Amino acid sequence: MQYRTYLVDLSKGDFGLSFTFFPTPVSTVILDSLLWTIVLVGIATVVSFVIGTLLGIVAGWRRGSRWDHLLPVTTFFSSIPYFWFGLIVLFVLSGELRWFPLAGGYSSWLSVDFSWAFLSSAVRHAVLPGLTIVVASVAGWLIPMRNMMVTTMSDDYVVLAEAKGLPPRRVMLNYAARNAILPSVATFTMSLGFVVGGAVLTEIVFSYPGIGNTLYQAVINEDFPLMQGIFLIITFVVLLANFLADLVYVWLDPRTRVEA
């Protein structure tokens, strides 16, 4: 009967009350923190994907050139743990230079609204955690894209396009990159599903009010209703991202639409 009651409440979006933020409902806590994570981690993921993919296309097309120097540089930054890189960024840009705030999602004396003061403060607080995520994850998109470009350039249709005298930029983008990007797009769609989970370590280091930091507080305080609600939302979003990845893959690759 308890499990039946739980499922009925769950269908209504009622996850119970949070122990940590009692008597606030779990759904309210998740919604408030989820918006912060989607804006920060979502935008940072898209930016890192675009930058890494474009750099990977150029590095693969011009393999053996100075563009290959990007590989060890980006790999070095990606090998640094998130929390350690975040602490370094905080120490230099916030502690020493005082260019950005140290913690939080906005200035404590402001109320959450759509005023210019709040939005500008939120952007300033999001720069450092967003920069940490972008710098640390660019290599994850650049290296696979570069390797796929190198592999694709030896395919017959790319060789034929070059032999026909097509402009190099058209061959690079319309022939080589369009096919080489397929695995990256599938991975990117999957990564959007994990955006809901937030960059836990990054949000903890910067005390950012996202879902990752909320999950950490729930674990510390043994807030089981809040943990259950967050894990359930993450599960559904990841499943949805899997479904969208299949749709995007079919849309990009005509070969998947042809019956065997």
Side-chain angles (χ1 to χ4, degrees):
M1 291 298 296
Q2 288 179 340
Y3 187 60
R4 178 179 175 277
T5 303
Y6 169 75
L7 292 179
V8 171
D9 292 340
L10 195 63
S11 64
K12 301 176 183 178
D14 183 5
F15 298 99
L17 299 179
S18 170
F19 300 160
T20 307
F21 304 94
F22 188 84
T24 307
V26 169
S27 56
T28 303
V29 176
I30 292 177
L31 182 60
D32 291 343
S33 58
L34 190 59
L35 294 175
W36 290 95
T37 293
I38 290 176
V39 173
L40 172 65
V41 186
I43 293 177
T45 301
V46 172
V47 170
S48 63
F49 170 75
V50 172
I51 294 176
T53 301
L54 292 177
L55 292 177
I57 290 174
V58 178
W61 181 257
R62 300 182 179 180
R63 61 190 184 281
S65 65
R66 61 183 180 180
W67 287 93
D68 282 345
H69 296 316
L70 290 172
L71 299 179
V73 174
T74 55
T75 303
F76 169 76
F77 283 108
S78 66
S79 63
I80 302 176
Y82 271 38
F83 69 94
W84 183 246
F85 184 58
L87 290 173
I88 295 175
V89 170
L90 271 177
F91 175 76
V92 176
L93 299 182
S94 295
E96 295 295 322
L97 300 178
R98 301 185 182 278
W99 288 353
F100 299 97
L102 280 170
Y106 57 95
S107 299
S108 58
W109 60 85
L110 296 174
S111 58
V112 179
D113 52 27
F114 289 98
S115 64
W116 172 252
F118 169 76
L119 293 177
S120 60
S121 176
V123 169
R124 291 188 69 246
H125 281 77
V127 168
L128 289 187
L131 178 65
T132 303
I133 296 173
V134 170
V135 172
S137 58
V138 162
W141 302 111
L142 189 154
I143 296 175
M145 188 63 201
R146 190 257 183 195
N147 294 337
M148 285 301 301
M149 279 290 292
V150 172
T151 303
T152 305
M153 286 170 58
S154 61
D155 291 340
D156 294 338
Y157 56 87
V158 178
V159 177
L160 177 60
E162 292 177 327
K164 289 169 63 177
L166 296 178
R169 184 176 180 180
R170 182 179 177 186
V171 176
M172 178 181 69
L173 297 177
N174 293 1
Y175 288 83
R178 182 178 179 181
N179 290 275
I181 202 175
L182 292 176
S184 295
V185 169
T187 306
F188 171 70
T189 311
M190 287 291 299
S191 67
L192 290 180
F194 291 100
V195 163
V196 179
V200 179
L201 292 178
T202 301
E203 292 183 358
I204 293 174
V205 169
F206 292 93
S207 299
Y208 197 78
I211 197 72
N213 197 17
T214 302
L215 178 59
Y216 172 73
Q217 295 181 39
V219 173
I220 294 297
N221 297 306
E222 297 184 357
D223 190 344
F224 297 107
L226 183 55
M227 283 190 285
Q228 283 182 326
I230 293 176
F231 289 141
L232 187 62
I233 295 297
I234 293 174
T235 301
F236 276 115
V237 173
V238 171
L239 291 175
L240 179 61
N242 272 279
F243 177 69
L244 293 178
D246 292 337
L247 295 181
V248 171
Y249 205 90
V250 171
W251 175 65
L252 286 175
D253 191 356
R255 293 171 295 185
T256 61
R257 299 194 295 266
V258 178
E259 296 183 1

